[in-house]
Amino acid sequence: MEILQNKSLIGKDDLLIFQTIYSLNKQQASATDLARIIGWTDKGAVVGRIVGLGMRIVKQYNIEQRERENGKKVFWDFFFTGYYKDAFFIYQLKPELKQALEECGLVDNVKPISLQNTYLLYWNPKRWNWESLENDIDQVNKTGKCSQRWSCGNLKSIRPGDRIFLIKLGTEPKGIIASGFATSSPFLEKHWNGEEKDAVYIDVDFEILLNPEKEPILTIDMLRLRSVLQKQNWSPQSANSVKPELVDELEAVWFDFLNTQNIRYNQFSESVEITRSFVEGS
């Protein structure tokens, strides 16, 4: 608590890191995720601030800090425990720091946020014939999902658990025909068009899948009726991310569309929590 209230030791950006990780599920995240959420250029901005604060604390309090085998001091473990998850180092907020943040009133207005990102993949029938579409839809109806391997362009930031929407382009009708969740990180495999080169793919479980030739889809024109959603490019040349500030609106529009059309809305995974806001009285 003394350190948190010492403005000569800890700056606004240092507190912002602590407040951000406090807001996350399980209060843990990688430096890459923290930088993305805060809006900094890369993870180096996070790591640099954590190390810098640790160094200032060591100097101020003359603390003998833990050292690695190579003799270098470990500054981040003033504040976090940590572990590796694949190639990412995950910072876990220490209970002592959590308690101190709360008792100092520094997280009173911090709202919970999610690390889940949302991405838009696309399908163009002019370029690839989805011969198994009807069978895949049958599988969704019978089991609640169908697993696919899908090209994700040059996107390498997708993580297992990220939200995925699939939009049909090329021929009318154009619009969203599927939603689900990524089940893998991006990986290289032979290009889908047979060229002698690799393409980047993810594995994805589609929990909603529509046949645009036989049933209504959420068209691009319908999406653009919402002024907020006009900020997104709904005719991408390759896979892209959905702007974070648009995700709630997209989920709400998709849910309303499926519910209105009575299209397999019961197939929504129980793990998907859709939160909506309404003006009082509505």
Side-chain angles (χ1 to χ4, degrees), residues 145-252:
K145 67 179 182 181
C146 76
S147 299
Q148 294 286 324
R149 183 155 294 180
W150 209 270
S151 171
C152 57
N154 292 319
L155 280 175
K156 297 181 180 179
S157 57
I158 301 176
R159 305 270 187 85
D162 280 342
R163 186 76 162 129
I164 302 295
F165 285 90
L166 181 65
I167 192 164
K168 174 183 175 287
L169 301 174
T171 59
E172 294 292 348
K174 302 176 184 179
I176 293 177
I177 65 168
S179 64
F181 296 89
T183 59
S184 76
S185 298
F187 57 89
L188 292 174
E189 203 168 82
K190 187 176 180 181
H191 203 284
W192 52 269
N193 65 8
E195 295 181 14
E196 291 298 320
K197 61 179 182 180
D198 289 334
V200 182
Y201 294 87
I202 61 164
D203 290 330
V204 54
D205 282 350
F206 289 122
E207 298 180 341
I208 302 289
L209 182 57
L210 310 176
N211 187 336
E213 295 183 359
K214 296 184 178 182
E215 53 195 332
I217 67 171
L218 181 57
T219 65
I220 292 177
D221 288 340
M222 295 166 69
L223 289 165
R224 288 172 175 163
L225 288 175
R226 303 290 184 105
S227 58
V228 174
L229 296 181
Q230 292 175 13
K231 300 176 183 178
Q232 183 73 31
N233 178 13
W234 297 109
S235 300
Q237 297 300 310
S238 63
N240 62 11
S241 60
V242 177
K243 298 178 186 298
E245 64 270 23
L246 309 185
V247 169
D248 286 347
E249 185 72 9
L250 173 58
E251 290 283 10

Side-chain angles (χ1 to χ4, degrees), residues 20-29 92 112-115:
T20 301
I21 199 167
Y22 179 92
S23 71
L24 298 173
N25 182 37
K26 298 182 180 178
Q27 296 175 332
Q28 60 182 25
Q92 170 77 58
I113 60 175
S114 172
L115 276 177

Side-chain angles (χ1 to χ4, degrees), residues 252-265:
V253 171
W254 181 233
F255 182 83
D256 283 348
F257 169 77
L258 296 173
N259 199 35
T260 300
Q261 298 293 335
N262 197 28
I263 302 173
R264 289 187 290 280
Y265 59 87

Side-chain angles (χ1 to χ4, degrees), residues 33-72:
D33 283 327
L34 289 170
R36 175 176 55 79
I37 295 166
I38 293 171
W40 292 340
T41 306
D42 57 42
K43 68 177 184 179
V46 174
V47 175
R49 285 173 172 84
I50 292 172
V51 171
L53 177 57
M55 293 175 70
R56 292 195 296 276
I57 293 172
V58 166
K59 185 176 180 180
Q60 176 84 11
Y61 291 93
N62 194 27
I63 295 171
E64 287 295 325
Q65 188 60 357
R66 180 169 70 88
E67 295 183 354
R68 301 181 189 275
E69 292 181 359
N70 60 11
K72 291 186 177 181

Side-chain angles (χ1 to χ4, degrees), residues 1 10 16 35 39 93 99 108 110 122 125 151 157 174 180 253 280:
M1 290 178 66
I10 188 165
L16 183 56
L93 197 68
Q99 182 180 353
D108 291 348
V110 172
Y122 83 99
S151 171
S157 57
K174 302 176 184 179
V253 171
E280 183 177 354

